[in-house]
Amino acid sequence: MKVVIVDDESLARERLRRLLAEHADVQLVAEVDSGAAAIAACQAHAPDVVLLDIAMPGMDGLQAARQLAQLQPPPAVVFCTAYDAHALSAFEAAALDYLMKPIRAERLASALARARTFMAGQGRAGAPQASGTRQHLCARMRGSLRLIPVADIRYLQAEEKYVVVHHARGQDLVEDSLKTLEDEFGTRFVRIHRNCLVARDQLLELRRHQGGLQAVLRDEPQLLEVSRRCAPQLRQLLDGG
């Protein structure tokens, strides 16, 4: 995995360099201090991943990411920033992950693992492009932010004022309402209950249980309650209608 570090602070670059050295399959091909230099480095080295600061003089990280998305093939962008206010803009720039400074070794390792999965699944044919629909949801976790790829989400369940996102790597809380998520991602998720949306490709079958119905998911052992109101649409979906 070829990686480029982009940060205008030398100490931040040094920390990332030291953390990357712990990963035997990572090759640091360039280390630069500006958005413009990042574009030049990526054109020269065609990296798989760019660790990109956001707040930089001149061309900032968000501007650089939008230009990097035009490269063929485009690198996966992992933002590394001291500010959480840029998370929504990171969605628009199709970031693979969003790490808060000081970067922790385990969070960087998680981002690199996500990049490996993305590279394997996409064959380096291209990174996700910005569109009207988000590619990630944003979860707050112990003072930091985590970007959850929508493609990894198995189901969404409302719980008080939050929605619990059940995904390939565990669970996280987001502040979006279930109705907002249904409106935005209706082609990907289907409602099975007033408090639950399930990824359509996760739905395997409906199973009777104590006079009611439960949904069986492909990659989740948990059986989910299905409301009578939603059952006809689900049966039609399962029948290929």
Side-chain angles (χ1 to χ4, degrees), residues 194-215:
R194 61 181 175 80
N195 70 348
C196 188
L197 301 174
V198 168
R200 293 172 184 264
D201 61 3
Q202 283 288 317
L203 190 62
L204 279 184
E205 63 175 293
L206 301 182
R207 183 176 297 173
R208 293 197 174 277
H209 179 71
Q210 296 181 350
L213 284 176
Q214 292 182 323

Side-chain angles (χ1 to χ4, degrees), residues 10-149:
S10 60
L11 289 178
R13 296 196 304 272
E14 180 182 349
R15 178 176 178 80
L16 284 172
R17 190 189 323 124
R18 187 169 65 252
L19 293 175
L20 288 175
E22 299 175 7
H23 298 267
D25 66 333
V26 169
Q27 178 187 6
L28 180 60
V29 295
E31 182 182 316
V32 297
D33 61 1
S34 70
I39 294 168
C42 289
Q43 289 172 331
H45 299 284
D48 301 300
V49 181
V50 179
L51 301 178
L52 183 60
D53 187 23
I54 292 182
M56 295 183 291
M59 179 187 292
D60 67 19
L62 293 171
Q63 294 170 316
R66 294 186 183 102
Q67 293 202 31
L68 293 176
Q70 305 306 313
L71 297 179
Q72 293 298 328
V77 171
V78 174
F79 283 121
C80 303
T81 179
Y83 307 99
D84 64 8
H86 299 294
L88 294 180
S89 297
F91 294 144
E92 298 173 1
L96 189 70
D97 209 336
Y98 188 104
L99 308 183
M100 295 292 295
K101 295 179 179 178
I103 307 299
R104 303 195 311 273
E106 61 269 24
R107 280 294 287 122
L108 179 61
S110 174
L112 293 175
R114 182 172 296 174
R116 292 185 192 96
T117 300
F118 171 77
M119 290 162 57
Q122 299 298 323
R124 293 294 285 124
Q129 299 297 310
S131 66
T133 302
R134 287 178 288 169
Q135 300 294 324
H136 300 77
L137 299 186
C138 180
R140 293 181 181 271
M141 183 179 178
R142 294 191 295 273
S144 65
L145 294 176
R146 174 180 295 173
L147 295 185
I148 308 163

